[in-house]
């Protein structure tokens, strides 16, 4: 299973003789509610600060993920929390959330590398610029990524998980299918209409 954190949560629930399905669904619901709260913290203006949480709360896809019992809702909470910590320059929180995200989903490593790129390229400028996070915030998640890669290499002879390896393969059929999935999601979830709301 791609999520080390979710395997540990399920194992702990089973050890305590509590239904792992119930525990993961409750954690997913709490994580989805936490995501709405964190999103409300991005904007200091009350009116505009409510737009993103409202769109998330109205999203059928987010509601389905919340009670699915998968780690997707936790990954969503950790991603928005990490980005908020990045924007506000909170080093310790950024390091913690990125480390947990790396343990939660393979995409957490890609998100960590993306924030490292932002840190290197998008230097804070101007009066209202974000506080710089500093490279020390990335030490723990990058070290964890290295430990996981080495551990995987020693046990499976592959550096990347089966879920992360295809991200680095140029398979045009897979990219075409992925594009169709994204287009289907945009049409089925009403995401395209939300883009109009952003423009307006």
């Amino acid at each position: 299973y791609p999520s080390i954190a979710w395997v540990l949560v399920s194992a702990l629930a089973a050890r305590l003789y509590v239904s792992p399905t119930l525990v993961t669904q409750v954690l997913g619901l709490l994580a989805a509610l936490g995501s709405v709260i964190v999103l409300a913290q991005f904007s200091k203006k009350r009116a505009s600060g409510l737009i993103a949480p409202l769109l998330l709360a109205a999203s059928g896809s987010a509601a389905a993920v919340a009670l699915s019992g998968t780690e997707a809702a936790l990954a969503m909470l950790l991603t928005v929390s990490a980005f908020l910590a990045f924007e506000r320059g909170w080093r310790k929180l950024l390091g913690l959330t990125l480390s947990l995200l790396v343990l939660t989903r393979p995409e957490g490593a890609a998100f960590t590398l993306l924030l490292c790129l932002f840190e290197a390229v998008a230097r804070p400028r101007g009066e209202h610029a974000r506080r710089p996070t500093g490279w020390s915030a990335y030490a723990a998640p990058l070290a964890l990524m290295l430990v996981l890669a080495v551990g995987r290499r020693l046990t499976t002879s592959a550096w990347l998980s089966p879920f992360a390896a295809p991200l680095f393969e140029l398979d045009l059929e897979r990219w075409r299918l992925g594009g169709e999935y994204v287009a289907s999601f945009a049409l089925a979830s009403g995401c395209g209409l939300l883009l109009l709301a952003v423009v307006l």
Side-chain angles (χ1 to χ4, degrees), residues 166 169-180:
E169 296 172 0
L170 183 60
D171 183 356
L172 296 179
E173 182 61 25
R174 182 184 297 266
W175 283 89
R176 184 193 62 74
L177 186 60
E180 287 180 9

Side-chain angles (χ1 to χ4, degrees), residues 47-107:
S48 62
L50 295 176
I51 294 172
L54 179 65
L55 292 176
L56 179 65
S59 167
S61 302
V65 161
L67 289 173
S68 67
T70 66
E71 73 284 356
L74 178 62
M76 177 174 62
L77 172 62
L78 293 171
T79 302
V80 295
S81 298
F83 197 74
L84 180 65
F86 174 80
E87 285 291 314
R88 300 282 168 88
W90 298 335
R91 288 185 175 99
K92 291 180 183 176
L93 183 61
L94 179 61
L96 176 65
T97 53
L98 286 177
S99 297
L100 290 173
L101 185 58
V102 166
L103 288 173
T104 301
R105 287 292 308 161
E107 295 86 351

Side-chain angles (χ1 to χ4, degrees), residues 4-171:
I4 295 172
W6 223 235
V7 169
L8 293 175
V9 164
S10 298
L12 180 63
R15 180 74 175 131
L16 297 174
Y17 300 102
V18 181
S19 168
T21 304
L22 178 64
V23 169
T24 55
Q25 286 178 326
V26 168
L27 286 176
L29 179 61
L30 293 174
L33 292 173
S35 298
V36 172
I37 293 169
V38 171
L39 279 174
Q41 307 307 311
F42 273 94
S43 177
K44 295 175 182 167
K45 296 179 181 177
R46 291 302 293 161
S48 62
L50 295 176
I51 294 172
L54 179 65
L55 292 176
L56 179 65
S59 167
S61 302
V65 161
L67 289 173
S68 67
T70 66
E71 73 284 356
L74 178 62
M76 177 174 62
L77 172 62
L78 293 171
T79 302
V80 295
S81 298
F83 197 74
L84 180 65
F86 174 80
E87 285 291 314
R88 300 282 168 88
W90 298 335
R91 288 185 175 99
K92 291 180 183 176
L93 183 61
L94 179 61
L96 176 65
T97 53
L98 286 177
S99 297
L100 290 173
L101 185 58
V102 166
L103 288 173
T104 301
R105 287 292 308 161
E107 295 86 351
F111 185 72
T112 300
L113 294 175
L114 180 66
L115 285 187
C116 285
L117 178 67
F118 287 168
E119 188 72 39
V121 175
R123 302 309 303 169
R125 293 184 186 91
E127 180 183 336
H128 301 290
R130 69 172 185 84
R131 287 181 14 209
T133 312
W135 291 104
S136 61
Y138 302 99
L142 290 173
L144 185 58
M145 288 166 49
L146 181 63
V147 167
L148 291 174
V150 169
R152 188 174 291 112
R153 176 71 178 174
L154 292 174
T155 56
T156 66
S157 73
W159 288 103
L160 298 173
S161 74
F163 292 87
L167 295 174
F168 298 97
E169 296 172 0
L170 183 60
D171 183 356

